[in-house]
Amino acid sequence: MTKVLLEVDSLTVRLGHADSAATLVEELSFSVAAGEILCIVGESGCGKTVTARSVIGLNRNEPGFHTSGKIMFDGRNLLTLDEPSMRRIRGARMSMIFQDPMSSLNPLHRIGTQIEESLAIHGDLGRRERRERTVELLSQVGIPDARARIDDYPHQFSGGMRQRAMIALALAGNPDLLIADEPTTALDVTTQKQILTLLERLRNDYGMAVIFITHDLGVVAEIADRVMVMYAGKCVESGTVREVFHAPQHPYTAGLLASIPALNRPKLPRLQSIRGAPPVLSEGRPEGCAFQPRCAHAFDACSTEPPMTSTGELDHLDRCWLLPAQKRHLANAMEVNA
Amino acid sequence: MTHAPLVTVSDLRKSFAIRAGLMRRVRDELRAVDGVSFDIGQGETLGLVGESGCGKSTLARCVARLAEPTSGSVRFAGDEIAHLTSRRLRPLRRSIQLIFQDPMASLNPRKRIGTTLRDALRFQGIAGTRARETSRIGALLEQVGLAPSYADRMPRELSGGQRQRVVIARALAVEPRFIVADEPVSALDVSVQAQILNLLKDLKDTLGLTMLFISHDLGVVRHVSDRIGVMYLGKLVELAPADALYETPLHPYSRALLAAVPLPDPDARGHHGNVIEGDIPTPLNPPRGCRFHTRCPLAQEICVKTEPVLTAHAKGHFAACHFASAEHGVQATSKAVN
């Protein structure tokens, strides 16, 4: 995990016009190494999906979206790339899967036809080879008896199988980077486990990097190498999955971890919760640290925005004014509960 | 909490006719709930878990009499209510209230919160003078943790968690004895979910409410329930005190469900024993014998031939499996906990 595949530098995404524009993502910087699984975690409206869509350029032509900063992929800045070149990257070098497989699959076309179409666009295989490759892709993602199912329509597949078909479609171009936006949120736990295992296997077999977006910290612990926690359009903490889960430095991360009724913790009479609700960014973000209104540790300094600082551990960064000793206490408080 | 049962369900069945063709003739029958029996004690919370399509919501709708069961009995406070006409049900509506997943769908977007609550009071004929109504509404809002001034707000001005609080306040307005909550926290963000779970638990303790709590999230169900039932394809496969289910699950399906839940601890990766393969079979044509045998790691010949019945294996701990033994259970959980 040495080669950096994607480097995002001060990405800012604004929606709307002039004065009324809302800043959905602000000065966000992160990188993904080849073959690495980065989880972006946060609650609804924190900007995780907007970030992902900006990386793959899905909102670049949407009116009202203003994107600035740099997204370096393979030495090229994707934000300044023209649409035809972007199209050659999208689907071939980088592809995306979604929560709802029917947003990627056309209900009127056979599953096989859709995958073959993608192969035709991004490769130079002949008709027969494309069909063979499609069967191969479908069996790779675990569709039983792929040869018999290749001519099925999406409605003939179950939810988990559609998710697999969508992954097969995303893999058709043999991408270096897969962006997965809540791919298991609509699935049952047993199916979710199957899909997570599949993604991990694909990463191991092909060295494919994955940006995995989710709100479920259990899923993060299961699959991530590194984690980026987002709140109100900014990264508030990032680090390796072990660092972030065992020694959370930001009160928001610690609060999130403590608020899940996890099966591996003793049952408490009450769950720890974070007071209030996440800010709605179109109504403006809170002054200073955006988490301050909900934070149990807020003090004077929090009225100015804290920078990302290192804890000294690997590349574990966080955006909080608390002193290192106080942050350690956050992690300890978690342990007491655990 | 084993007082006399408030709700007794016996051999409840609900089927839906599948109509097809020009004459819309009944072609098939989908047995969503297929012979389920349980009771809920006064002041007890019974949790129901299962994957999508297992019939848990249909069961809840039959118990709350939003739907009429095809056969079987539902007794509420000693009275048979399974086949009452809607007119005879009317007085009962005051005693049984429902909370659904999407609070926005449960609230009239054009009515102020106060009006919504006032209507609830009036429809049940328990309103008084205007001043008394207003003070009652204020008290209700405070009970669910909202300021009385929220009565003047519109639903769209509220966050998801606040809306769900209003829905709970409306359910409480008529002083019900029994609450059926169908995935009440599934649409909420993690940090807010904990607040609502705490609220429901507090209300249950202070008001002595009896609850049927449905969720697909095993962590959530564990947190609120006294006893838990696990459903698979329209049948109850296990029914146990909450702690017993998580410590010694007896049915292989319960164990598979528990094993598939991702834990928020990166060191717990691979705590899973066996991940079960495949998807839930269609309830239109459920497998013969034990319905789980097509995916079960323990399946033997007997499972294909004979359907197991729900039998007690420990005090209050029932499972429907030919091979339900505490030994298997102990093995599985020691894996899950470590």
Side-chain angles (χ1 to χ4, degrees):
Chain A
M1 297 202 195
T2 40
K3 186 177 159 260
V4 172
L5 181 69
L6 175 85
E7 183 141 34
V8 174
D9 185 23
S10 354
L11 175 73
T12 300
V13 184
R14 293 164 66 78
L15 175 64
H17 292 286
D19 306 340
S20 62
T23 308
L24 304 182
V25 175
E26 202 172 334
E27 299 280 315
L28 188 71
S29 303
F30 64 94
S31 64
V32 183
E36 179 182 53
I37 300 185
L38 171 75
C39 275
I40 304 183
V41 60
E43 298 178 289
S44 40
C46 73
K48 53 193 193 301
T49 295
V50 174
T51 304
R53 293 176 69 95
S54 305
V55 168
I56 199 168
L58 287 183
N59 49 18
R60 54 194 270 142
N61 296 327
E62 275 184 53
F65 271 95
H66 306 285
T67 314
S68 62
K70 261 196 261 176
I71 298 176
M72 300 302 292
F73 182 73
D74 244 9
R76 287 190 288 181
N77 183 358
L78 300 185
L79 287 181
T80 55
L81 216 58
D82 58 281
E83 188 57 25
S85 321
M86 191 64 210
R87 216 175 272 170
R88 278 194 291 275
I89 289 181
R90 204 189 283 134
R93 304 288 319 279
M94 180 190 286
S95 51
M96 185 159 178
I97 58 176
F98 302 88
Q99 175 173 346
D100 174 12
M102 290 315 278
S103 61
S104 316
L105 297 171
N106 186 331
L108 300 179
H109 290 284
R110 299 175 195 278
I111 300 269
T113 317
Q114 301 186 43
I115 297 175
E116 283 167 40
E117 184 190 3
S118 181
L119 287 170
I121 294 170
H122 296 294
D124 45 9
L125 297 176
R127 180 185 295 265
R128 192 158 294 152
E129 293 162 313
R130 287 205 296 269
R131 193 157 173 92
E132 279 311 304
R133 177 83 183 119
T134 303
V135 172
E136 210 177 290
L137 281 166
L138 285 175
S139 19
Q140 222 167 61
V141 296
I143 302 279
D145 203 3
R147 201 168 292 276
R149 303 302 297 264
I150 184 170
D151 287 324
D152 278 4
Y153 288 95
H155 75 265
Q156 291 168 294
F157 275 29
S158 72
M161 278 165 67
R162 280 181 208 154
Q163 207 71 26
R164 289 166 192 272
M166 176 169 65
I167 295 173
L169 183 61
L171 293 178
N174 215 352
D176 301 310
L177 175 66
L178 179 72
I179 300 177
D181 189 0
E182 304 258 10
T184 60
T185 306
L187 303 176
D188 287 316
V189 277
T190 52
T191 320
Q192 164 171 289
K193 179 66 202 147
Q194 295 166 7
I195 298 291
L196 292 179
T197 312
L198 168 66
L199 285 176
E200 209 160 5
R201 205 191 74 217
L202 291 170
R203 185 272 293 269
N204 294 341
D205 292 357
Y206 299 98
M208 179 180 73
V210 182
I211 297 180
F212 193 105
I213 296 172
T214 180
H215 67 279
D216 186 334
L217 289 160
V219 170
V220 176
E222 191 71 33
I223 195 166
D225 297 318
R226 274 195 312 125
V227 186
M228 177 164 83
V229 183
M230 284 186 76
Y231 189 78
K234 291 199 171 188
C235 170
V236 294
E237 181 159 1
S238 69
T240 64
V241 65
R242 280 211 167 72
E243 282 289 323
V244 172
F245 275 72
H246 292 321
Q249 300 293 306
H250 196 284
Y252 178 61
T253 315
L256 270 188
L257 281 168
S259 65
I260 11 178
L263 291 182
N264 59 341
R265 300 195 194 132
K267 186 168 159 180
L268 299 167
R270 291 181 68 82
L271 286 171
Q272 262 191 50
S273 61
I274 307 177
R275 63 172 181 239
V280 179
L281 290 175
S282 56
E283 292 164 9
R285 57 181 295 128
E287 286 287 304
C289 169
F291 186 60
Q292 181 205 350
R294 304 178 69 193
C295 185
H297 305 272
F299 63 113
D300 302 344
C302 302
S303 52
T304 47
E305 170 96 50
M308 286 295 272
T309 45
S310 169
T311 58
E313 261 326 308
L314 296 163
D315 55 351
H316 192 178
L317 301 174
D318 67 276
R319 191 185 287 284
C320 181
W321 284 122
L322 291 178
L323 299 169
Q326 292 169 304
K327 290 177 182 171
R328 261 198 301 282
H329 182 72
L330 286 176
N332 292 341
M334 285 272 317
E335 294 295 313
V336 172
N337 277 312
Chain B
M1 273 180 230
T2 39
H3 312 292
L6 179 68
V7 180
T8 308
V9 173
S10 22
D11 202 26
L12 189 79
R13 285 166 207 274
K14 174 73 183 171
S15 348
F16 297 96
I18 305 293
R19 292 171 187 275
L22 197 58
M23 307 303 285
R24 312 298 297 157
R25 263 195 290 258
V26 176
R27 288 293 158 87
D28 211 338
E29 190 188 46
L30 188 149
R31 283 176 289 174
V33 178
D34 202 6
V36 169
S37 309
F38 59 83
D39 51 29
I40 310 177
Q42 190 88 45
E44 185 185 44
T45 298
L46 179 74
L48 270 185
V49 287
E51 296 181 283
S52 43
C54 72
K56 55 191 192 302
S57 285
T58 304
L59 177 60
R61 294 172 66 87
C62 288
V63 173
R65 276 310 316 275
L66 283 189
E68 188 178 349
T70 311
S71 70
S73 129
V74 180
R75 296 180 80 83
F76 179 76
D79 301 325
E80 177 60 53
I81 62 165
H83 301 289
L84 289 184
T85 56
S86 55
R87 182 208 285 241
R88 302 265 313 276
L89 276 172
R90 184 111 199 196
L92 206 71
R93 297 279 180 230
R94 222 186 122 165
S95 310
I96 307 179
Q97 284 287 311
L98 290 117
I99 301 170
F100 296 103
Q101 174 170 352
D102 181 1
M104 203 53 197
S106 313
L107 294 173
N108 186 331
R110 291 162 173 259
K111 278 188 179 168
R112 293 187 189 282
I113 303 305
T115 316
T116 293
L117 294 176
R118 181 168 286 124
D119 286 349
L121 294 171
R122 287 191 181 159
F123 285 146
Q124 292 298 340
I126 45 177
T129 60
R130 188 93 188 166
R132 271 190 52 200
E133 272 176 16
T134 309
S135 79
R136 175 90 180 106
I137 289 167
L140 280 168
L141 285 171
E142 278 183 336
Q143 198 165 29
V144 296
L146 294 175
S149 62
Y150 275 81
D152 298 324
R153 304 246 192 133
M154 301 298 276
R156 68 180 141 76
E157 296 175 68
L158 271 52
S159 70
Q162 289 170 332
R163 284 179 202 143
Q164 199 59 296
R165 286 175 193 269
V166 172
V167 171
I168 295 170
R170 181 179 58 187
L172 296 177
V174 296
E175 293 168 2
R177 298 174 66 185
F178 180 43
I179 289 197
V180 176
D182 191 355
E183 302 269 9
V185 297
S186 305
L188 305 176
D189 276 321
V190 194
S191 67
V192 179
Q193 172 179 304
Q195 297 169 5
I196 300 294
L197 288 176
N198 284 337
L199 172 67
L200 284 172
K201 237 180 145 182
D202 290 346
L203 291 171
K204 178 200 145 189
D205 292 343
T206 51
L207 304 176
L209 289 172
T210 306
M211 212 170 351
L212 178 61
F213 188 100
I214 294 165
S215 179
H216 68 283
D217 186 324
L218 286 138
V220 166
V221 166
R222 167 178 178 243
H223 185 72
V224 296
S225 309
D226 300 308
R227 274 191 309 145
I228 296 172
V230 182
M231 281 187 79
Y232 187 75
L233 276 179
K235 295 249 180 204
L236 213 48
V237 296
E238 185 158 358
L239 181 65
D243 294 336
L245 180 72
Y246 292 91
E247 278 156 27
T248 47
L250 294 180
H251 198 283
Y253 178 62
S254 311
R255 291 204 288 270
L257 266 187
L258 284 169
V261 177
L263 302 177
D265 179 0
D267 293 335
R269 267 184 211 185
H271 76 91
H272 323 273
N274 318 326
V275 176
I276 48 170
E277 294 294 323
D279 295 315
I280 299 190
T282 160
L284 270 178
N285 185 16
R288 295 169 61 86
C290 172
R291 292 181 178 196
F292 187 56
H293 84 253
T294 50
R295 302 168 78 193
C296 183
L298 303 178
Q300 304 284 330
E301 230 179 294
I302 181 173
C303 305
V304 187
K305 287 186 184 138
T306 326
E307 178 158 3
V309 286
L310 204 61
T311 39
H313 291 267
K315 192 168 178 292
H317 195 155
F318 301 84
C321 176
H322 296 299
F323 300 99
S325 72
E327 274 165 43
H328 285 114
V330 170
Q331 277 171 12
T333 34
S334 63
K335 248 187 231 153
V337 171
N338 294 329

